[in-house]
Amino acid sequence: MVNSNEDYDRSDDLKRFEESKTGVKGLVDAGHNTIPRIFVHPPEALSDLKPVSDTPPESIPVIDLSGFDSDRRAALVDQVTRAAREYGFFQIVNHGIPRAKLDRTIAAVKAFHEQPAEARAGLYTRESGTGFSYMSNVDLFQSKAASWRDTMTVRLGPADPSLWEHVPEICRDAVAEWDREVVRLGGLVLDLVGEGLRLGARRLRELSCLEGRIMVGHYYPYCPQPDLTLGLRSHADPGVLTVLLQDHMGGLQIKHGEVWVDVKPVPGAVVINVGDLLQIMSNDIYKSVDHRVLANSCQEPRVSIAVFLNPGKREELYGPLPELILPEKPALYQRFTFSEFMRRHFTKELDNKSLKNYFKI
């Protein structure tokens, strides 16, 4: 039962949950039919979970990438540019990644999270020195309420061959294969969004935006009280672009205007979204928007895999690109190192901390 005692001290519950080292999946396996209080969000955080009208808003654009190297490219650049300006999110199909490889990646991350509790507990850590970590809620001890999910994280770039000995064997090959696909596809999408800004060919690649890759494999098990919590609270991604693979379960939503829009799963599609750093580099031409994941009310778990494309050159200065600073539109943001940018990202809880506002001039 949810404890209504105003003097409730959540530190003991947090400690007990963390020391179990089995995450939310451990709670589900133990047969909990109510969620611990540390996962209960305040009513104001959940007030807009229900549809505001009988007519749901449209979903985000779906862009067919076939013919990207033909005379269709200009039209594709226009579509990508419009989606990045208006929604900050879009889905891509006919991207060249076989459906079997998408399914294998999802299955491998699912298999990692569904190992026996003792196998997972041996890997549970908040330290990322090896390039691999597994935990529940990166901001567990900073947030007002935890979210109903567990996460494995892999630092994929800059390239480090020694990384792979730390990635569990159960998902190692699939993750390595997925990284190769993301490098190819992410490079193409970076080129398209760069062309939409009328930048030189491969300009964003030259700024090392493909080199600092971080992968997170989220696992959202069944939640017995989905109206009291979230799978992932509202937030904006900090980096350049995010390449997201989601399964068929649904639950991802983006903020579009004043309403939440479902990112409905499209078979074989990959989701792309703009991060805060790309909005800053584009001098507000592209939009990094808030998004969230609803708690999973289905018995079947939801799995998603996001790869964040970040600069590999962490100590160089970033800000609005010189080509996009004009007399009629001066720079809207300060310049900063990527290290400082990410340090600020991790000093607060996940929600309500877009870095765009902090670096605004």
Side-chain angles (χ1 to χ4, degrees):
M1 295 291 293
V2 175
N3 189 342
S4 60
N5 182 356
E6 292 183 1
D7 295 327
Y8 167 74
D9 181 358
R10 68 194 296 262
S11 59
D12 284 346
D13 281 357
L14 282 172
K15 184 171 183 288
R16 189 178 306 111
F17 174 71
E18 180 76 353
E19 289 179 350
S20 76
K21 298 184 180 295
T22 56
V24 173
K25 178 67 162 58
L27 298 176
V28 174
D29 290 344
H32 286 250
N33 55 16
T34 59
I35 66 175
R37 182 165 176 176
I38 60 172
F39 292 93
V40 176
H41 288 245
E44 59 270 20
L46 304 171
S47 60
D48 59 356
L49 289 188
K50 294 181 172 59
V52 294
S53 73
D54 294 330
T55 307
E58 61 187 286
S59 190
I60 68 171
V62 178
I63 299 173
D64 184 342
L65 274 193
S66 59
F68 69 86
D69 55 354
S70 69
D71 56 5
R72 282 200 68 230
R73 190 176 183 96
L76 284 175
V77 169
D78 287 344
Q79 291 177 50
V80 166
T81 301
R82 191 177 311 115
R85 282 173 175 263
E86 297 178 9
Y87 287 85
F89 267 75
F90 52 94
Q91 302 201 61
I92 52 177
V93 295
N94 292 323
H95 40 62
I97 306 176
R99 179 67 182 272
K101 195 168 291 188
L102 304 179
D103 293 343
R104 182 183 180 217
T105 305
I106 289 172
V109 170
K110 184 171 184 282
F112 169 82
H113 285 284
E114 294 185 348
Q115 295 177 95
E118 57 272 18
R120 299 199 315 277
L123 297 166
Y124 194 99
T125 179
R126 294 193 179 273
E127 301 298 325
S128 58
T130 65
F132 177 88
S133 63
Y134 157 64
M135 71 183 82
S136 186
N137 287 254
V138 66
D139 59 346
L140 181 68
F141 294 97
Q142 292 80 39
S143 63
K144 297 179 182 68
S147 295
W148 200 256
R149 79 180 183 287
D150 299 327
T151 303
M152 55 169 276
T153 302
V154 187
R155 188 184 66 240
L156 297 169
D160 178 5
S162 68
L163 157 73
W164 298 106
E165 66 189 61
H166 300 288
V167 178
E169 188 176 356
I170 194 169
C171 60
R172 183 184 304 153
D173 290 347
V175 169
E177 193 172 13
W178 183 242
D179 183 43
R180 289 191 289 271
E181 294 291 356
V182 167
V183 169
R184 181 193 63 80
L185 182 59
L188 170 59
V189 178
L190 280 173
D191 291 347
L192 293 174
V193 298
E195 289 172 43
L197 295 172
R198 293 180 168 79
L199 301 174
R202 301 171 71 86
R203 176 80 162 93
L204 294 175
R205 297 194 201 217
E206 292 166 0
L207 291 169
S208 78
C209 293
L210 193 57
E211 295 174 15
R213 301 180 307 284
I214 302 289
M215 188 197 98
V216 294
H218 293 310
Y219 184 86
Y220 303 87
Y222 164 70
C223 179
Q225 295 178 295
D227 56 331
L228 296 181
T229 190
L230 287 164
L232 185 59
R233 290 189 309 282
S234 174
H235 67 287
D237 291 346
V240 180
L241 284 177
T242 302
V243 178
L244 173 72
L245 176 60
Q246 62 171 344
D247 65 13
H248 63 285
M249 295 295 292
L252 173 63
Q253 297 181 325
I254 72 163
K255 195 71 173 288
H256 183 57
E258 296 304 313
V259 298
W260 288 100
V261 177
D262 291 320
V263 181
K264 299 173 182 174
V266 173
V270 173
V271 180
I272 304 291
N273 68 273
V274 173
D276 282 354
L277 187 55
L278 182 55
Q279 176 167 337
I280 291 170
M281 293 167 73
S282 73
N283 210 26
D284 271 0
I285 294 175
Y286 293 149
K287 304 303 180 197
S288 170
V289 301
D290 287 346
H291 49 287
R292 69 184 184 187
V293 177
L294 303 182
N296 180 17
S297 61
C298 300
Q299 293 293 330
E300 182 180 354
R302 177 183 187 267
V303 174
S304 69
I305 299 106
V307 178
F308 305 110
L309 305 185
N310 301 319
K313 298 176 180 176
R314 298 178 65 91
E315 302 308 320
E316 294 198 2
L317 290 173
Y318 297 90
L321 294 172
E323 301 97 314
L324 304 178
I325 299 173
L326 304 169
E328 62 272 22
K329 189 176 181 182
L332 300 175
Y333 298 92
Q334 308 167 40
R335 286 164 62 78
F336 46 82
T337 66
F338 188 65
S339 289
E340 177 191 2
F341 190 71
M342 293 307 294
R343 189 161 54 247
R344 294 198 176 276
H345 175 74
F346 285 111
T347 56
K348 296 164 67 177
E349 61 182 307
L350 188 61
D351 55 344
N352 299 319
K353 64 165 185 180
S354 172
L355 295 178
K356 301 186 296 287
N357 297 333
Y358 183 86
F359 289 100
K360 199 100 175 177
I361 292 177

